[in-house]
Amino acid sequence: MKLLVTGGAGFIGSNFVRYVLNTHAEDEVVVLDKLTYAGRRENLAEVAEDPRFAFIHGAIEDREAVDAAIEGCDAIVNFAAESHVDRSIEDPEAFITTDVIGTHVLLEAARAAKIGRYVQISTDEVYGSIDEGSFTESSPIDPSSPYSASKAGGDMLVQAYFRTYGLPALITRASNNYGPFHYPEKLIPLCVLNAFAGDKLPVYGDGMQVRNWLYVEDHCSGIDTVLRKGAEGEVYNIGGPDECPNIEVVKRVLELTGRDESLIEYVTDRPGHDRRYSLASDKTMALGWQAQTGFAEGLERTVQWYRDNEDWWQPIRSGEYLEYYRQQYGRELA
Ligand code: NAD
Ligand code: TYD
């Protein structure tokens, strides 16, 4: 199979590209990526010389770039997105452009090319917040942030293209990912790097918001399972094995980095902050998938990866990131 992986230079996309090339000897991968602040060629360094891999610099909302990239591909897996809730609150526009309009351009191009398979990578955040129990694929869509609303818009277009035009499309909705190559604007890598530096770890509100943590490799195997075995027109949840309140996550990071709790800093809560996410993944598990990595083990591996890969994260903690940090947290990084 020849796959077009859009957004393949980001956190999950780059892990997925490695996963596919390592798991399926016959497969080829073309990455189309706009290389925003979150996308980096360095994330794909391990596969850069693989003859089965090609990289194209371009945006999913650019029809010409998409048409060129799609040439000869059997399937599309769309990771391309603006992905950070806090940035969507600050300025939603790029989220609409990429997550809604970009998805639409990609769907049009896929339809014209008569693509064999289209997988939209979505999120549990489209379901909104749940106090008890877990979301299933038939739970109503009820997004809270401009990020989750724009992802929900993309999902609705994918569903419409399946129903209206018979596009062989599927949607996956995953819970919070963590692991190697995670951009340090998100809770876990931000806290790991701040803890390394002896800087404060910012906790929004009371820190009792719960997330359902999924190790990125488990997400990749889930997407791969849905890509190859899922039924067209269906949605598949891919949830992590463990749920944990943010304050517990932060305390575990402090423990793994040998720091004490005096580094915890409670800061102003995020507006519209979803209290809890929880996913039931029975439908994906019925295809033969299961998460392999518990949160304790995955977090330990993640902290170790950041310890071993300062060359990867050091350049990020400059320029745009420092500016973002100053705006978001109202202070400089230590
Ligand atoms: P990321 O921000 O790390 O990476 C996004 C990638 O998309 C980057 O390489 C960026 O350059 C690229 N991109 C952005 N706009 C583009 C455009 N217009 N055209 C082409 N490329 C563009 O995000 P991530 O955390 O890897 O998330 C990937 C996907 O998974 C997203 O669709 C996100 O909604 C979804 N998701 C993420 C999580 C999570 O916990 N991170 C959980 C569930 C679902
Ligand atoms: P995040 O990693 O941004 O993912 P998402 O918003 O998609 O769930 O945040 C995870 C949780 O951690 C969320 O409840 C917000 C919280 N959080 C903090 O408490 N402090 C922070 O500095 C960040 C970035 C997030």
Side-chain angles (χ1 to χ4, degrees):
M1 188 148 57
K2 185 170 173 180
L3 295 180
L4 173 59
V5 178
T6 52
F11 163 45
I12 307 171
S14 65
N15 277 283
F16 181 73
V17 169
R18 271 185 298 280
Y19 181 88
V20 166
L21 292 175
N22 289 335
T23 313
H24 304 286
E26 305 296 316
D27 281 9
E28 293 172 55
V29 171
V30 177
V31 165
L32 175 70
D33 198 292
K34 190 176 182 175
L35 297 178
T36 66
Y37 76 92
R40 300 171 77 210
R41 293 293 298 267
E42 292 88 332
N43 294 359
L44 293 162
E46 201 181 301
V47 297
E49 303 302 322
D50 191 320
R52 298 174 297 146
F53 171 78
F55 181 85
I56 300 172
H57 183 197
I60 58 166
E61 64 272 23
D62 175 350
R63 180 65 189 266
E64 263 179 48
V66 172
D67 281 342
I70 235 173
E71 185 90 30
C73 289
D74 305 297
I76 299 175
V77 185
N78 179 28
F79 291 89
E82 289 292 335
S83 68
H84 190 35
V85 174
D86 293 322
R87 288 188 195 248
S88 83
I89 293 167
E90 200 51 40
D91 186 2
E93 194 172 331
F95 291 75
I96 310 302
T97 304
T98 294
D99 305 7
V100 184
I101 297 171
T103 297
H104 176 242
V105 171
L106 206 51
L107 288 166
E108 270 298 300
R111 181 161 84 95
K114 299 191 167 43
I115 201 80
R117 201 90 161 150
Y118 178 102
V119 180
Q120 175 77 357
I121 305 305
S122 188
T123 166
D124 58 359
E125 301 192 28
V126 299
Y127 297 120
S129 189
I130 189 165
D131 291 334
E132 280 171 26
S134 301
F135 290 119
T136 70
E137 289 81 356
S138 47
S139 299
I141 299 297
D142 186 22
S144 303
S145 71
Y147 162 66
S148 50
S150 64
K151 290 297 291 185
D155 286 13
M156 295 295 94
L157 285 166
V158 172
Q159 183 181 300
Y161 269 64
F162 167 73
R163 291 190 187 165
T164 309
Y165 306 114
L167 187 82
L170 304 87
I171 297 170
T172 61
R173 294 188 180 134
S175 57
N176 282 66
N177 281 222
Y178 67 104
F181 299 95
H182 205 182
Y183 193 84
E185 64 191 350
K186 307 280 166 59
L187 178 71
I188 289 181
L190 185 146
C191 286
V192 170
L193 298 189
N194 282 17
F196 284 170
D199 200 347
K200 296 279 188 196
L201 278 54
V203 174
Y204 296 165
D206 65 1
M208 289 308 291
Q209 305 83 3
V210 172
R211 296 294 181 263
N212 182 185
W213 292 100
L214 174 67
Y215 193 62
V216 65
E217 243 173 59
D218 283 330
H219 188 191
C220 293
S221 65
I223 294 166
D224 198 52
T225 302
V226 171
L227 168 67
R228 286 158 215 275
K229 297 186 187 163
E232 291 170 9
E234 295 292 318
V235 176
Y236 293 90
N237 286 348
I238 307 177
D242 297 302
E243 293 180 19
C244 193
N246 293 338
I247 189 65
E248 276 309 311
V249 174
V250 168
K251 285 180 181 173
R252 285 187 194 211
V253 167
L254 289 170
E255 217 171 281
L256 288 166
T257 52
R259 299 288 186 181
D260 65 57
E261 294 183 10
S262 64
L263 289 187
I264 294 172
E265 181 178 44
Y266 289 92
V267 299
T268 310
D269 206 355
R270 169 190 281 174
H273 200 169
D274 285 332
R275 197 67 181 165
R276 175 170 173 264
Y277 297 139
S278 179
L279 277 184
S281 312
D282 308 54
K283 195 169 161 184
T284 310
M285 286 161 82
L287 299 177
W289 172 81
Q290 184 141 30
Q292 302 294 323
T293 311
F295 188 53
E297 181 195 345
L299 191 62
E300 205 175 322
R301 273 157 69 178
T302 302
V303 170
Q304 191 57 42
W305 187 85
Y306 282 89
R307 208 174 266 131
D308 295 341
N309 286 279
E310 188 169 346
D311 288 355
W312 180 84
W313 55 259
Q314 198 55 266
I316 295 175
R317 280 168 66 96
S318 63
E320 194 275 345
Y321 185 75
L322 296 184
E323 183 49 44
Y324 165 77
Y325 202 92
R326 192 178 304 120
Q327 235 197 333
Q328 177 64 21
Y329 297 97
R331 65 174 183 85
E332 308 287 329
L333 262 186

